[in-house]
Amino acid sequence: MGGQAPVVQRIRIRYAKRGPLRFTSHRDFARAFERALRRAAVPIAYSQGFTPHPKISYASAAPTGVSSEAEYLEIGLQAEVDPAQLVLALDAALSPGLDVLEAVVADEGSLADRIDASRWRLELPEVDPAVAAAAVKSFLDAGEVLVERMTKQGRRSFDARAAVTHLAVTEQSHLPSGAFAAPCAIIDLVVRQVTPAVRPDDVLSGLRVVAGLEPPVPPRVTRLAQGTLTAQGEIVDPLDTDRAAIGGH
């Protein structure tokens, strides 16, 4: 029985989920991405065995219903491609709103090992920023903030406070799209990856627990970045090392 062609190039891709496409589940995105690979005639490598799978690995996908500017995956190819051409071909093959932003040739090491935190923007329409700021202070002052969420193991209670390294109401640089003069609190959130994962909706639950903050309309949540958290609280883009390796060649 002939084996699969070996992987000769690994490419790391950053993509976004925007607008209505934020409701795409991870499983649906994976199917759409595999279709896009076929449509763009990308020479994807496959695993060995009776049911070969395309060599695609995903890094901590955002929850369904959440927008993201910083989703990452890695693909293994059986022939080398130009990353810039790959971006154009895949982006054209995916629906608008699932947008391929960048592709780089992978350097050594694991993509997952370079991601231990995420930065999020939480837009709370019709919430006064001063009210949100008071709730944020209560959250940060608490030793722990227990919240509940349904998991595969059933309803689970866990601390939403310890994983949060930064939480602040930001200055309003603009009114959110579609808003007139209604207030809108915008919260900047940085969360470390822990188990169980602390997600933005858990932090919002925590704000309700400690301060009774209940946004009258559903918040809009966007992942702005993910990567390695520095001692200064900045998030290092996980593709920086790959770009540096290309620059050094």
Side-chain angles (χ1 to χ4, degrees), residues 99-199:
D99 300 326
V100 177
L101 306 178
E102 184 179 8
V104 296
V105 176
D107 191 35
E108 296 303 311
S110 150
L111 181 58
D113 288 346
R114 298 190 202 157
I115 296 177
D116 62 18
S118 288
R119 167 166 261 121
W120 304 86
R121 183 179 65 229
L122 317 180
E123 294 180 38
L124 311 184
E126 297 179 34
V127 172
D128 187 291
V131 172
V136 163
K137 184 177 187 309
S138 298
F139 183 97
L140 293 174
D141 288 347
E144 70 170 7
V145 179
L146 291 177
V147 299
E148 288 192 343
R149 186 175 76 222
M150 282 302 292
T151 68
K152 287 174 184 165
Q153 289 76 40
R155 185 163 288 283
R156 183 159 182 188
S157 175
F158 56 93
D159 176 26
R161 171 67 188 90
V164 173
T165 64
H166 175 79
L167 184 68
V169 176
T170 67
E171 293 298 316
Q172 279 181 274
S173 55
H174 64 283
L175 284 169
S177 51
F180 297 101
C184 179
I186 299 174
I187 294 176
D188 185 38
L189 166 68
V190 178
V191 187
R192 285 184 300 107
Q193 278 193 357
V194 291
T195 305
V198 173
R199 305 189 309 210

Side-chain angles (χ1 to χ4, degrees), residues 2 203 209 223:
V203 175
V209 167
R223 172 145 60 191

Side-chain angles (χ1 to χ4, degrees), residues 46-133:
Y46 285 83
S47 60
Q48 305 285 350
F50 290 110
T51 53
H53 295 288
K55 291 246 178 191
I56 309 170
S57 55
Y58 294 91
S60 59
T64 304
V66 167
S67 300
S68 178
E69 293 296 312
E71 299 297 285
Y72 294 91
L73 60 80
E74 181 178 304
I75 56 177
L77 303 179
Q78 49 185 287
E80 291 194 3
V81 302
D82 173 10
Q85 293 298 319
L86 182 68
V87 168
L88 295 173
L90 284 176
D91 195 50
L94 283 164
S95 301
L98 297 177
D99 300 326
V100 177
L101 306 178
E102 184 179 8
V104 296
V105 176
D107 191 35
E108 296 303 311
S110 150
L111 181 58
D113 288 346
R114 298 190 202 157
I115 296 177
D116 62 18
S118 288
R119 167 166 261 121
W120 304 86
R121 183 179 65 229
L122 317 180
E123 294 180 38
L124 311 184
E126 297 179 34
V127 172
D128 187 291
V131 172

